[in-house]
C-alpha cells in the first residue's frame, strides 16, 4: 500500500515538473485599483499617526523605495526598538499571496492591517484611538469624504485605503516575466539555472505568480527547525 502511494506521489511530482512552464505566471501589468482610495492609503502607509507613540509607520519596516518592501533586518525592530519574533515579509506583490504572515493567520490584506494595528510591538493602537485621530485630521477627513462618501471614518475604511494602496505595489515586467511572455531571451546561464530550478524540484513549492506564497510549507523541510511561527 505504502509503495503504491509513493509511486503515485512520484508520478504526480514529475507531472508537475513537466507542466512547470505553465505553473509559473508572470505578474499582471495592471490590476484594478481605485486611485483616490490608493492615494489616501499611500499617505496613511507613510504616516506615524497610526502608531500609539507616533514613532512608527508601515513604511518604517516596509521601505518600498530602497529595501524591496522590507527593513533588510534579520528580525524586525518594533516599538521602542524591541525585537519582534520574525523577519519582515515584503509588501511588494503581497496582493497575490493566498494568505498573509509567515503562518497565514490573516486571510486578506485588510485583516492583515488590523493585526498590525493591535500588535503591541507594531502600531499598538486601539480602534477608538485610531478613529479619533483620523477623524480629527482635516486632510484625512476631506480625502475620506471624497473617496468613500462618508462623514465618519471607521478603522475598517482606514485598512481598506491602505490595502488599496498595497495593490499598486506590484513589480511587473522583470526580465523573467518578459521571458515568460516570450518578449526576451534568457542568457545561457539563466536558461541553465531555470532548467535546474525545475529539475531539482524548486518549482514544486516556488510557482504561481509570486514564485511561492501560495502553499503552506513546514519550516525546516531540509534542515530541522525549532522555530514556530
Ligand atoms: C515594526 C515593524 C513593522 C511595522 C510597523 C509594520 N510591519 Fe508589516 N510586517 C512586519 C513583520 C515582522 C511581518 C511578518 C510578521 C509575521 O509573519 O508574523 C510583516 C508582515 C506584513 C505583511 C504580510 C506579507 C505577506 O506576504 O504575508 C504585510 C502585507 C504587511 N506587513 C503590511 C504592513 C502594513 C500595511 C503596515 C502598516 C499598517 C505594516 N505592515 C507595519 C513588520 C512591520
Ligand atoms: C518544500 C518546499 C520548497 C522547496 C522544494 C524549495 N523551497 Fe525555497 N522556500 C520555501 C519556503 C517555505 C521558503 C520561505 C521560508 C524560508 O525562507 O525558509 C523558501 C524560501 C526561499 C528563498 C528565499 C526567498 C525570500 O524571499 O527570501 C529562496 C531564494 C528559495 N527558497 C529558493 C529555492 C531554491 C533555489 C530551491 C530549489 C533548489 C527551493 N527554494 C526549493 C519552500 C521551498
Amino acid at each position: 500500500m505504502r509503495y503504491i502511494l509513493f509511486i503515485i506521489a512520484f508520478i504526480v511530482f514529475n507531472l508537475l515538473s513537466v507542466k512547470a512552464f505553465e505553473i509559473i505566471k508572470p505578474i499582471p501589468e495592471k490590476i484594478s485599483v481605485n486611485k483616490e482610495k490608493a492615494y489616501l492609503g499611500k499617505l496613511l502607509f507613510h504616516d506615524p499617526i497610526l502608531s500609539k507613540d507616533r514613532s512608527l509607520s508601515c513604511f518604517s519596516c516596509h521601505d518600498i523605495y530602497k529595501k524591496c518592501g522590507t527593513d533588510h533586518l534579520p528580525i524586525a525592530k518594533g516599538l521602542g526598538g524591541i525585537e519582534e519574533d520574525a523577519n519582515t515579509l515584503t509588501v511588494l506583490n503581497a496582493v497575490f499571496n493566498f494568505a498573509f504572515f509567515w503562518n497565514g493567520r490573516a486571510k486578506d490584506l485588510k485583516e492583515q492591517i488590523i493585526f498590525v494595528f493591535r500588535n503591541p510591538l507594531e502600531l499598538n493602537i486601539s480602534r477608538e484611538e485610531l478613529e479619533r485621530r483620523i477623524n480629527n485630521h482635516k486632510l484625512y477627513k476631506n480625502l475620506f469624504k471624497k473617496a468613500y462618501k462618508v462623514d465618519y471614518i471607521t478603522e475598517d475604511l482606514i485598512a481598506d485605503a491602505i490595502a488599496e494602496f498595497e495593490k499598486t505595489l506590484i513589480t511587473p515586467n522583470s526580465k523573467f516575466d518578459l521571458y515568460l511572455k516570450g518578449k526576451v531571451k534568457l542568457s545561457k546561464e539563466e536558461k541553465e539555472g531555470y532548467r535546474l530550478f525545475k529539475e531539482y524540484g524548486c518549482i514544486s513549492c516556488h510557482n504561481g505568480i509570486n514564485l511561492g506564497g501560495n502553499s503552506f510549507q513546514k519550516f525546516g523541510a531540509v534542515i530541522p527547525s525549532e522555530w514556530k511561527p
Side-chain angles (χ1 to χ4, degrees), residues 202-221:
C202 313
I203 199 155
S204 61
C205 299
H206 295 286
N207 54 51
I209 293 181
N210 272 348
L211 284 168
N214 54 1
S215 65
F216 286 115
Q217 298 294 333
K218 181 178 175 290
F219 264 98

Side-chain angles (χ1 to χ4, degrees), residues 8-78:
I8 294 174
F10 186 76
I11 293 171
V12 169
F13 183 79
N14 277 289
L15 278 176
L16 274 179
S17 314
V18 175
K19 284 261 169 208
F21 209 81
E22 290 84 24
I23 63 177
I24 295 185
K25 295 196 173 64
I27 289 170
E29 279 171 39
K30 263 208 161 139
I31 56 176
S32 95
V33 175
N34 177 307
K35 280 201 181 130
E36 277 186 334
K37 294 178 183 175
Y39 174 68
L40 190 44
K42 182 177 183 177
L43 296 182
L44 290 162
F45 186 89
H46 291 81
D47 196 338
I49 195 175
L50 299 183
S51 68
K52 187 175 180 184
D53 64 2
R54 298 177 195 258
S55 67
L56 290 181
S57 67
C58 309
F59 181 76
S60 313
C61 301
H62 299 283
D63 183 339
I64 49 179
Y65 307 110
K66 291 193 183 137
K67 296 181 182 165
C68 310
T70 74
D71 47 18
H72 280 179
L73 295 171
I75 300 284
K77 275 209 172 91

Side-chain angles (χ1 to χ4, degrees), residues 117-118 124-131 155:
F117 291 158
R118 289 300 111 73
N124 193 25
I125 195 159
S126 67
R127 182 173 61 79
E128 294 75 17
E129 175 63 9
L130 182 64
E131 291 182 359
E155 174 177 76

Side-chain angles (χ1 to χ4, degrees), residues 33-202:
V33 175
N34 177 307
K35 280 201 181 130
E36 277 186 334
K37 294 178 183 175
Y39 174 68
L40 190 44
K42 182 177 183 177
L43 296 182
L44 290 162
F45 186 89
H46 291 81
D47 196 338
I49 195 175
L50 299 183
S51 68
K52 187 175 180 184
D53 64 2
R54 298 177 195 258
S55 67
L56 290 181
S57 67
C58 309
F59 181 76
S60 313
C61 301
H62 299 283
D63 183 339
I64 49 179
Y65 307 110
K66 291 193 183 137
K67 296 181 182 165
C68 310
T70 74
D71 47 18
H72 280 179
L73 295 171
I75 300 284
K77 275 209 172 91
L79 287 175
I82 298 171
E83 277 201 342
E84 296 198 45
D85 61 357
N87 173 256
T88 303
L89 287 158
T90 183
V91 286
L92 302 186
N93 303 315
V95 60
F96 301 120
N97 291 339
F98 85 121
F100 299 86
F101 290 123
W102 283 103
N103 63 4
R105 63 190 177 278
K107 69 173 186 306
D108 54 35
L109 284 174
K110 256 170 87 172
E111 190 176 272
Q112 193 278 332
I113 292 162
I114 307 290
F115 273 108
V116 180
F117 291 158
R118 289 300 111 73
N119 186 332
L121 282 182
E122 289 180 349
L123 302 178
N124 193 25
I125 195 159
S126 67
R127 182 173 61 79
E128 294 75 17
E129 175 63 9
L130 182 64
E131 291 182 359
R132 193 184 61 75
R133 286 187 190 179
I134 302 297
N135 279 288
N136 284 333
H137 193 290
K138 256 199 169 149
L139 176 66
Y140 285 133
K141 195 85 182 162
N142 281 333
L143 290 174
F144 269 100
K145 196 164 188 146
K146 274 198 196 128
Y148 289 92
K149 324 273 177 267
V150 291
D151 286 321
Y152 186 79
I153 305 156
T154 59
E155 174 177 76
D156 184 70
L157 292 184
I158 298 169
D160 190 79
I162 300 174
E164 200 65 19
F165 169 59
E166 288 180 303
K167 290 189 202 164
T168 68
L169 303 176
I170 62 175
T171 63
N173 294 326
S174 67
K175 182 170 184 190
F176 183 58
D177 278 359
L178 290 174
Y179 163 75
L180 292 176
K181 292 192 239 176
K183 290 187 178 167
V184 300
K185 289 206 162 76
L186 295 184
S187 71
K188 230 174 123 194
E189 285 88 355
E190 288 164 344
K191 254 202 184 134
E192 177 61 3
Y194 190 34
R195 192 186 67 75
L196 291 173
F197 190 77
K198 291 185 265 189
E199 188 179 307
Y200 290 151
C202 313

